[in-house]
Amino acid sequence: MMKLRAMRVRNPLVRECMAEFLGTFVLLLFGCAAAAQVKTSNETKGQFLSVNMAFSVGVMSAMYLTKGISGAHLNPAVTLSFCVLEKVSWSRLVPYCLSQLVGAFVASGVVYLVYYDAIMNFSGGVLTVYGRNETASIFATYPSDFLSLGRSFLDQVVGTSMLLLCILGLEEKRNTPAPSELVPVIVAGIVLGISMSMSANCGAAINPARDLGPRLFTLAAGWGTEVFTCYNYWFWVPLVAPLVGGIFGSFMYLFFIDWQLPDPDHHERISTSEKLAKEQPAATWEKGDELKVAHL
């Protein structure tokens, strides 16, 4: 056991980056594999909801795996927002984001290997972004044909802002904190809610690494530069908009919730007063009993 313990990485930042890599890898492996299964089977082995649920299970599993090491950001928008809120050091921003990006890229490669035969059979060996037999959307997100760049940008800003708004209060002791062991389940539920309600327009990436990592893989694996040039160079939207949305959602949380909650000292005084108030009747009752016994 001591020999195995010697394998422990001593540099904290390296350990955290390893966790972010693995967590994002697990998240994308679940999600993209589900997308491949649904797409290549013509929805006979799963439907749109299957992909949403698989990504949510991926979030939950990744958080249980890595939360104790890095906090399980799994998303550059989350890391950036936490840096802005001073929950994480700015020195972690670039290493975390690169680790998440590489994790997403490698997961896409594994999904491609696992589903290679199915992808080739479905596409007829032609890897393309457009058409009925396109397979690029197994990996990265793409907009609906009718969607404008401006509206798709808004879509991603709103989706990511809801993600940050809803997760920031989960461990707030002045409000209604979630049990620590249930936080991954609740975050998975939030992701599922967002993907079920806001993924019709352009896939609800809400995560730059989740989109850019697979997009880079498809560029290298044979889909070509079209994965970046298609839909009027749409690729930058799921890269930039989630970062904006994450910061916007964080400030929504600060303005509407965090700054309106009682100060920690005030909250502690209230809790102490309530505790004394609950104990006081019992003390009076005990005193009354003693007097009654004495009288008798």
Side-chain angles (χ1 to χ4, degrees):
M1 191 67 180
M2 292 298 292
K3 291 181 179 179
L4 292 176
R5 189 66 176 173
M7 297 292 291
R8 175 181 172 85
V9 175
R10 298 189 181 279
N11 187 305
L13 178 58
V14 175
R15 288 201 302 265
E16 292 161 17
C17 289
M18 289 169 61
E20 287 299 310
F21 165 84
L22 181 63
T24 313
F25 172 85
V26 169
L27 165 60
L28 268 293
L29 187 65
F30 272 98
C32 291
Q37 178 171 303
V38 172
K39 168 72 76 172
T40 59
S41 69
N42 285 305
E43 298 193 359
T44 60
K45 297 178 181 177
Q47 290 78 40
F48 186 66
L49 180 60
S50 305
V51 181
N52 295 336
M53 293 181 69
F55 270 110
S56 301
V57 171
V59 168
M60 180 184 67
S61 303
M63 288 191 71
Y64 273 121
L65 276 171
T66 65
K67 192 171 185 295
I69 301 175
S70 66
H73 296 185
L74 316 174
N75 184 341
V78 173
T79 303
L80 176 62
S81 298
F82 280 16
C83 289
V84 171
L85 295 173
E86 298 183 343
K87 292 178 176 288
V88 173
S89 168
W90 282 95
S91 64
R92 259 57 179 170
L93 178 61
V94 173
Y96 273 34
C97 292
L98 287 176
S99 301
Q100 294 155 3
L101 181 64
V102 175
F105 183 95
V106 175
S108 301
V110 173
V111 170
Y112 179 71
L113 291 175
V114 170
Y115 278 97
Y116 177 82
D117 292 336
I119 290 171
M120 291 302 168
N121 179 67
F122 176 81
S123 66
V126 180
L127 304 179
T128 182
V129 175
Y130 297 102
R132 182 179 178 184
N133 292 335
E134 64 81 18
T135 47
S137 63
I138 289 173
F139 300 96
T141 62
Y142 294 88
S144 300
D145 293 333
F146 55 80
L147 202 65
S148 67
L149 278 176
R151 200 74 65 189
S152 61
F153 191 91
L154 176 64
D155 175 276
Q156 289 296 287
V157 168
V158 171
T160 316
S161 66
M162 288 300 100
L163 175 65
L164 268 297
L165 175 64
C166 293
I167 68 175
L168 282 173
L170 292 179
E171 297 179 314
E172 176 55 73
K173 293 181 172 55
R174 295 175 296 160
N175 201 349
T176 311
S180 179
E181 62 273 13
L182 290 181
V183 168
V185 178
I186 297 170
V187 173
I190 293 168
V191 171
L192 179 60
I194 293 171
S195 60
M196 288 179 64
S197 59
M198 286 179 272
S199 59
N201 281 338
C202 46
I206 62 172
N207 182 338
R210 175 264 173 275
D211 192 84
L212 182 59
R215 197 177 299 276
L216 288 170
F217 172 78
T218 52
L219 172 67
W223 277 264
T225 57
E226 199 172 45
V227 299
F228 282 95
T229 61
C230 66
Y231 298 102
N232 195 23
Y233 293 89
W234 183 83
F235 79 93
W236 66 269
V237 173
L239 183 61
V240 177
L243 300 176
V244 176
I247 295 174
F248 184 74
S250 299
F251 278 102
M252 283 181 65
Y253 175 78
L254 289 177
F255 182 77
F256 286 99
I257 303 297
D258 186 76
W259 294 340
Q260 314 312 324
L261 288 169
D263 294 332
D265 293 341
H266 178 67
H267 183 73
E268 186 175 340
R269 287 198 301 272
I270 291 175
S271 300
T272 304
S273 300
E274 290 176 348
K275 183 178 180 181
L276 290 173
K278 290 178 180 178
E279 292 176 350
Q280 188 62 38
T284 304
W285 178 259
E286 291 172 2
K287 184 177 180 182
D289 283 348
E290 290 172 2
L291 291 173
K292 184 176 180 181
V293 172
H295 177 72
L296 289 174

